[in-house]
Amino acid sequence: MERSGGDQGPHLPAPSLWPVGFAVGIVCILAGLVVSWPAVAAGALITVIFGFLWVRDATTEHRRMDLHEEPAGGPAPARRSVEPIPAHKGEAAMPAPHDEAEIDRFPRNKFLEGATLGLGAAIGGIVTLPVLGFAVLPAFTDQETEEVDVGTLGDYPEGEWRIATFLEDPDAGEVSRRTAYVRNNGPLEGRPSFTVVSNRCVHLGCPVQPGGPSEEDKKKIVRGEGGTQVELTPTQPSNFGCPCHGGAYDIEGNRTAGPPVRALDRYEFSIRNGRLFLGKTYSVSEVQGEGKDARIKRYRLAGPGQHVDGLESWLYPIQPPE
Amino acid sequence: MPRRKSARRQKLEQLIAYPIDWLEERSGLIGGLRYFLLRKVPGDTSWWHTLGSATLTAFIVQTVTGVVLAMYYKPDPDKAYESIRFITDDLTFGWLVRGMHRWGASVFIILMFFHMARVFLFGAYKYPRELNWIIGVLLLVLGMLEGFTGYLLPWDQTAYWATVVGINLNGTAPFLGPFLAQFLQGGAEIGNETLSRFYAMHMLLIPGGLFALIGLHLYLVIRLGVSSPPWSPEAAGEERVEAPPEGRAGLVQPGPRGGYAK
Ligand code: HEM
Ligand code: FES
């Protein structure tokens, strides 16, 4: 494209093949994020090299101009020379200043202009900030959840699974319905031990289902302290599975197949006056062993799809306050 | 042969012209409208160039049906599902308006993509229209957000779980993802706040942005004019052809004014 000279018309950079390599690099990075880290590194290298070549290519003309072409009279006018419209032909909104006195007043105009803009910005800020804060902050404050009473220890026979569904916040209604898979593991060092697995899929949050028969007809409704209602359904799962994208978990919640990135979340629990209370949920990367002997690699609660260990967890360095 | 107009007819014309002139003198709107409607476009614009207006039409249909739906829809977790059922089953023509809005949403998105494809394949995004491409990309994003937020409003199982998955998908974005998800949910978990928030975004925030950007988009279309197709002898960067060029080979033989040679 030979257009550098007289500079009429659109000013376009010369065609270049480097962007193709640049794009290949980007694709390499993206594919690498899925398959392997070395591919990411290779992609990054390709991207940087071709990006550099591209930028160099695209700017040669400018750089050459800086070196040789600066004529004495400054840069040539960029536009096609358009005759200015004589004042008496166009419609001027204001007469142009024509004597010295008027030009002298300019600093005051400038001040007024600045003051108007400054005041306007201040007023705009004063109005916008609280509104923005109101839109954003309530989602991050006061997110405490109460413990939920899910029945007496007698409601959970040793060695059996129960599907427990309950309202986490009765005031909020059905949207706060949660489901946990609860198994009484029997006493551990003299104290009761439970496995309480959340049914929220750690891929993208669908409800995980038990792999095994559930006895709907033996569903029992127990009432907790403070009027909570908990439905308990006996079930005999041999694993867990997610209907949305086929995520599969073993009986301790370890991921065995599909897109989930870690093991199923679990509930903290406590026992008071012979009753079982479920508290906060926390995230788990992996469980070794089974039942009461399980060793749980525990992390702060993270959203579905977020890695809690390994390199990928670096992508989520800060979590919203709990 | 021009016939002389009768006095009656002249009077009638004056009567019609009067309010138009009145408006024009005080606002310049008529001139603007004439400029807009009677502006010149390249001789070889084709049906492909109508995809943008088709998208605009789909958007207007969404606006009108959406406003009517808002008269009956209740953005309350306890009432939303029931109000949608009421619109669909009980209200006269409710099924029709809801159907138009629901199917029209897909039509709008699909048309946007078709329009974008035409702009891309025609190279119509090039100088001096880059800015309009950028505005178009923002329109595309806002349009899809409109689809995402609207999908939750029926508050049924599909809506709920699709939104759970959609929000969590946003949550996996690096660094700010968790915050974005929590902002969209209006709390640590999807809940009642989520519905109100999606309603506000779907009804007010995003349409506001769309209106503004569509305004800018059309302003630029009018200011810059639409580009002619790449096969046009009037295409940018082409030498001006006064007579049909001789001996040009190829599948398409461009004629003098961009029509195909016979
Ligand atoms: C709300 C959605 C949109 C509406 C209502 C809309 C409307 C229009 C209309 C009416 C035109 C006139 C020419 C034509 O119809 O082809 C146009 C041109 C254009 N649009 Fe859009 N558009 C939308 C979205 C987009 C998107 C998603 C892109 C690309 C990312 C885009 C890029 C452009 C460009 C570059 C032009 C100039 C084309 C030319 O001058 O030939 N628009 N748009
Ligand atoms: S949400 Fe469970 S597999 Fe995708």
Side-chain angles (χ1 to χ4, degrees):
Chain A
M1 201 162 282
E2 277 309 315
R3 271 242 192 77
S4 29
D7 246 340
Q8 305 273 334
H11 197 84
L12 296 173
S16 158
L17 278 180
W18 303 130
V20 176
F22 186 74
V24 170
I26 300 270
V27 170
C28 234
I29 293 181
L30 292 179
L33 283 177
V34 181
V35 294
S36 84
W37 288 103
V40 176
L45 193 70
I46 298 178
T47 311
V48 170
I49 292 176
F50 281 90
F52 172 75
L53 290 173
W54 183 10
V55 169
R56 210 182 58 160
D57 219 34
T59 54
T60 32
E61 214 174 315
H62 287 276
R63 282 180 291 139
R64 207 183 311 130
M65 232 153 46
D66 287 348
L67 287 179
H68 315 292
E69 285 195 332
E70 199 69 70
R79 294 168 149 249
R80 235 173 277 236
S81 60
V82 177
E83 287 293 315
I85 304 169
H88 64 278
K89 289 230 176 108
E91 279 178 46
M94 268 198 337
H98 42 67
D99 57 30
E100 296 288 314
E102 246 167 319
I103 290 166
D104 272 350
R105 273 167 49 196
F106 192 55
R108 204 176 112 196
N109 283 357
K110 258 232 148 83
F111 168 75
L112 286 176
E113 189 184 303
T116 313
L117 288 180
L119 263 179
I123 294 173
I126 288 169
V127 177
T128 314
L129 274 184
V131 174
L132 264 187
F134 176 59
V136 174
L137 290 185
F140 296 94
T141 50
D142 296 332
Q143 298 296 326
E144 286 294 302
T145 47
E146 304 271 308
E147 287 195 318
V148 182
D149 178 352
V150 291
T152 63
L153 293 192
D155 292 323
Y156 299 90
E158 194 175 317
E160 290 181 25
W161 285 96
R162 289 289 180 275
I163 307 171
T165 83
F166 51 89
L167 297 186
E168 188 170 55
D169 176 6
D171 294 334
E174 271 307 305
V175 265
S176 74
R177 184 168 289 286
R178 303 281 177 263
T179 297
Y181 298 111
V182 187
R183 182 184 56 200
N184 184 346
N185 296 325
L188 172 68
E189 293 161 6
R191 301 167 67 202
S193 144
F194 281 86
T195 298
V196 190
V197 176
S198 159
N199 83 328
R200 184 177 75 160
C201 183
V202 290
H203 174 223
L204 291 174
C206 281
V208 164
Q209 307 296 317
S214 300
E215 296 162 80
E216 286 292 331
D217 49 327
K218 293 206 190 131
K219 185 185 325 190
K220 189 161 94 166
I221 297 188
V222 299
R223 269 163 222 290
E225 284 170 356
T228 52
Q229 262 192 24
V230 184
E231 290 174 13
L232 295 181
T233 311
T235 184
Q236 290 112 41
S238 52
N239 50 30
F240 299 100
C242 179
C244 283
H245 319 99
Y249 306 89
D250 72 11
I251 196 66
E252 290 296 325
N254 285 312
R255 168 192 176 275
T256 52
V261 296
R262 54 178 204 247
L264 285 171
D265 295 340
R266 294 194 173 207
Y267 280 86
E268 286 173 358
F269 66 91
S270 54
I271 289 147
R272 293 199 299 274
N273 307 327
R275 306 192 71 94
L276 177 63
F277 289 83
L278 300 192
K280 286 183 180 170
T281 40
Y282 57 90
S283 291
V284 177
S285 66
E286 190 191 357
V287 183
Q288 283 158 0
E290 257 193 49
K292 60 184 162 196
D293 304 319
R295 299 184 51 78
I296 300 163
K297 283 202 188 145
R298 175 188 167 137
Y299 294 84
R300 218 190 122 177
L301 182 68
Q306 297 166 23
H307 293 258
V308 289
D309 62 351
L311 269 185
E312 294 100 324
S313 66
W314 295 2
L315 293 177
Y316 313 103
I318 33 173
Q319 288 284 340
E322 267 178 88
Chain B
M1 244 228 186
R3 262 194 310 145
R4 268 200 53 125
K5 289 172 185 160
S6 67
R8 212 182 123 83
R9 196 187 160 105
Q10 276 181 13
K11 234 190 176 139
L12 202 70
E13 277 179 4
Q14 267 176 13
L15 213 65
I16 294 173
Y18 182 78
I20 297 178
D21 287 345
W22 189 92
L23 193 65
E24 169 67 2
E25 194 176 342
R26 281 156 187 81
S27 65
L29 280 177
I30 307 295
L33 197 67
R34 285 172 62 92
Y35 176 77
F36 169 58
L37 291 177
L38 306 182
R39 70 188 191 281
K40 291 217 163 32
V41 297
D44 43 13
T45 41
S46 64
W47 282 100
W48 297 113
H49 289 77
T50 61
L51 282 168
S53 318
T55 316
L56 184 62
T57 311
F59 178 72
I60 293 171
V61 169
Q62 289 310 98
T63 315
V64 174
T65 52
V67 167
V68 184
L69 284 175
M71 295 177 182
Y72 301 98
Y73 175 76
K74 300 194 176 65
D76 179 319
D78 294 332
K79 302 191 186 125
Y81 179 75
E82 170 56 23
S83 72
I84 290 276
R85 195 208 54 73
F86 178 70
I87 291 170
T88 320
D89 296 345
D90 297 349
L91 280 175
T92 310
F93 287 143
W95 59 272
L96 180 62
V97 175
R98 183 176 170 217
M100 285 168 76
H101 197 75
R102 199 175 171 88
W103 291 95
S106 302
V107 171
F108 172 59
I109 303 275
I110 291 170
L111 281 174
M112 251 195 306
F113 274 102
F114 280 167
H115 169 57
M116 185 164 89
R118 134 34 212 153
V119 168
F120 180 71
L121 294 175
F122 278 33
Y125 52 84
K126 292 179 193 169
Y127 176 89
R129 297 184 178 81
E130 301 98 322
L131 191 57
N132 225 12
W133 176 268
I134 292 168
I135 293 172
V137 170
L138 293 178
L139 280 171
L140 189 69
V141 172
L142 285 188
M144 308 236 281
L145 267 180
E146 199 56 354
F148 179 55
T149 49
Y151 200 81
L152 179 66
L153 301 185
W155 204 235
D156 54 16
Q157 288 290 320
T158 333
Y160 180 84
W161 290 110
T163 305
V164 166
V165 167
I167 288 181
N168 286 329
L169 207 58
N170 282 292
T172 60
F175 305 108
L176 286 184
F179 292 85
L180 176 63
Q182 192 149 336
F183 167 73
L184 285 172
Q185 277 162 185
E189 299 273 356
I190 207 173
N192 295 336
E193 307 299 333
T194 320
L195 183 62
S196 331
R197 185 163 278 260
F198 271 45
Y199 178 72
M201 286 195 260
H202 185 76
M203 295 271 302
L204 302 165
L205 196 63
I206 305 173
L210 276 171
F211 275 118
L213 287 177
I214 289 179
L216 257 176
H217 197 69
L218 295 185
Y219 165 75
L220 285 183
V221 167
I222 293 165
R223 182 187 162 89
L224 304 171
V226 291
S227 58
S228 30
W231 56 78
S232 166
E234 296 169 19
E238 206 85 358
E239 289 292 326
R240 245 185 200 284
V241 204
E242 301 307 343
E246 267 176 273
R248 254 181 69 176
L251 287 177
V252 177
Q253 291 274 340
R257 285 205 59 252
Y260 300 121
K262 311 258 148 63

